[in-house]
């Protein structure tokens, strides 16, 4: 049985003092034990947040890593640095990284390799732009993103890979994909994983949805058979909203 996953992507928000309040509020909830709850703070807060959550069921993910082990990469963070902070999961390929920081499928392939070699778990984001949605090219777009990155991994790496489908047109825009649109893409992704590897692997991979998930639409989205939870941006910054989304999983 795939476990549900609700991951809060804090993006470039929160300071240690704000995070402390948010985490203390989150720790006050009794979340369903069959859901993995993850928060993803900025790099400077990874150590602080992972310390704070040490004896809890809430896990921590980084928002990005570099593909090199170390070296002259000003402003970047390595896999060993996040591990040093007690963090063993990273988001990779978020559309904001692709759009604003020029991450490409080619550089993401290197990052996926690095993360797998370092035994990190990956939340790997894919998703089409509005023009691909409108032209009907969205399946091919997402397929190509997968083929150039995680599909180059061997089958044994897949126990470390979570796929996040995040249509770019629905991120931070208030516009959510409909439950049917989400299910259609998730089922497509599961199908191509099955074709590339096998059905039992495809059935075991968690595929989560991101893009304007709120407490009001979470239930409808999460009740789709191929949706295993969500990657939550804006609504993860308020404990009440995030908790309601976790409880809808
Ligand atoms: P959003 O962000 O929930 O604010 O749309 C989702 C994401 O970017 O992961």
């Amino acid at each position: 049985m795939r476990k549900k996953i609700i991951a809060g992507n804090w993006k470039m928000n929160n300071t240690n003092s704000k995070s402390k309040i948010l985490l203390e509020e989150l720790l006050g909830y009794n979340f369903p034990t069959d859901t993995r709850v993850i928060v993803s703070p900025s790099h400077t807060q990874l150590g602080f947040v992972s310390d704070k959550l040490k004896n809890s069921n809430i896990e921590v993910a980084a928002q990005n890593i570099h593909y090199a082990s170390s070296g002259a990469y000003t402003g970047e963070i390595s896999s060993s640095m996040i591990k040093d902070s007690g963090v063993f999961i990273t988001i990779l390929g978020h559309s904001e990284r692709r759009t604003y920081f020029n991450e490409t499928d080619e550089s993401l392939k290197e990052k996926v390799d690095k993360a797998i070699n370092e035994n990190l778990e990956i939340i790997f984001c894919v998703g089409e732009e509005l023009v691909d949605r409108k032209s009907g090219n969205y399946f091919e777009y997402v397929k190509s993103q997968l083929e150039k990155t995680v599909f180059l991994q061997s089958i044994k790496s897949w126990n470390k890979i979570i796929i996040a489908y995040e249509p770019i047109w629905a991120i931070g825009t208030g516009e959510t994909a409909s439950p049917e649109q989400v299910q259609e893409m998730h089922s497509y992704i599961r199908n191509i994983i099955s074709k590339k590897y096998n059905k039992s692997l495809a059935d075991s991979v968690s595929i989560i949805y991101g893009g304007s998930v709120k407490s009001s639409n979470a239930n409808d989205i999460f009740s789709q058979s191929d949706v295993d939870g969500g990657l939550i941006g804006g609504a993860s910054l308020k404990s009440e909203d995030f908790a309601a989304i976790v409880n809808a999983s």
Side-chain angles (χ1 to χ4, degrees):
M1 251 292 266
R2 301 186 296 268
K3 240 188 168 181
K4 291 262 172 179
I5 299 168
I6 305 294
N9 176 8
W10 293 357
K11 308 190 178 184
M12 197 174 73
N13 293 297
N14 289 342
T15 52
N16 280 358
S17 57
K18 279 195 185 158
S19 301
K20 182 168 181 283
I21 298 170
L22 178 55
L23 294 173
E24 276 163 9
E25 288 171 358
L26 290 178
L27 289 169
Y29 286 91
N30 264 331
F31 291 133
T33 50
D34 53 355
T35 298
R36 287 179 70 187
V37 181
I38 302 173
V39 292
S40 186
S42 68
H43 294 331
T44 60
Q45 292 174 61
L46 289 173
F48 170 76
V49 171
S50 80
D51 268 3
K52 195 95 189 109
L53 296 175
K54 205 176 302 164
N55 298 315
S56 79
N57 290 328
I58 304 180
E59 302 171 75
V60 188
Q63 296 177 13
N64 180 32
I65 56 159
H66 195 267
Y67 52 75
S69 299
S70 64
Y73 299 101
T74 302
E76 291 292 320
I77 186 165
S78 71
S79 45
S80 51
M81 289 170 184
I82 72 161
K83 292 207 277 193
D84 215 28
S85 301
V87 175
F88 299 89
I89 312 170
T90 186
I91 297 173
L92 284 181
H94 191 282
S95 63
E96 286 151 16
R97 302 272 337 150
R98 294 177 191 253
T99 305
Y100 305 134
F101 303 100
N102 305 319
E103 292 198 352
T104 60
D105 290 328
E106 290 65 35
S107 63
L108 286 167
K109 182 221 168 268
E110 302 296 313
K111 292 188 178 207
V112 169
D113 283 349
K114 184 66 187 162
I116 295 291
N117 287 338
E118 295 282 339
N119 219 16
L120 294 172
E121 196 172 13
I122 305 166
I123 300 174
F124 191 78
C125 305
V126 294
E128 79 283 1
E129 307 205 27
L130 189 57
V131 12
D132 302 293
R133 173 59 58 175
K134 286 200 165 143
S135 71
N137 188 39
Y138 48 100
F139 289 130
E140 282 310 308
Y141 189 93
V142 167
K143 184 179 185 198
S144 157
Q145 287 181 317
L146 292 166
E147 280 177 341
K148 291 177 178 161
T149 56
V150 286
F151 277 16
L152 297 172
Q153 289 296 320
S154 69
I155 192 163
K156 66 178 187 349
S157 306
W158 275 80
N159 61 349
K160 292 283 185 190
I161 299 174
I162 296 160
I163 302 294
Y165 169 56
E166 299 207 307
I168 296 173
W169 48 273
I171 296 179
T173 56
E175 188 166 344
T176 325
S178 70
E180 294 72 28
Q181 286 173 319
V182 177
Q183 168 58 24
E184 179 189 50
M185 181 58 87
H186 283 224
S187 137
Y188 172 76
I189 293 173
R190 207 176 296 288
N191 242 309
I192 57 176
I193 296 174
S194 178
K195 280 199 190 120
K196 165 80 190 163
Y197 298 94
N198 62 53
K199 181 163 183 333
S200 103
L201 174 73
D203 286 341
S204 73
V205 173
S206 295
I207 307 176
I208 63 178
Y209 168 77
S212 300
V213 177
K214 305 183 269 289
S215 52
S216 54
N217 59 23
N219 208 10
D220 285 347
I221 296 172
F222 299 159
S223 58
Q224 301 297 313
S225 59
D226 284 297
V227 179
D228 305 311
L231 182 55
I232 320 300
S236 70
L237 299 173
K238 284 208 184 114
S239 59
E240 219 181 305
D241 294 346
F242 189 60
I245 292 170
V246 174
N247 285 326
S249 67

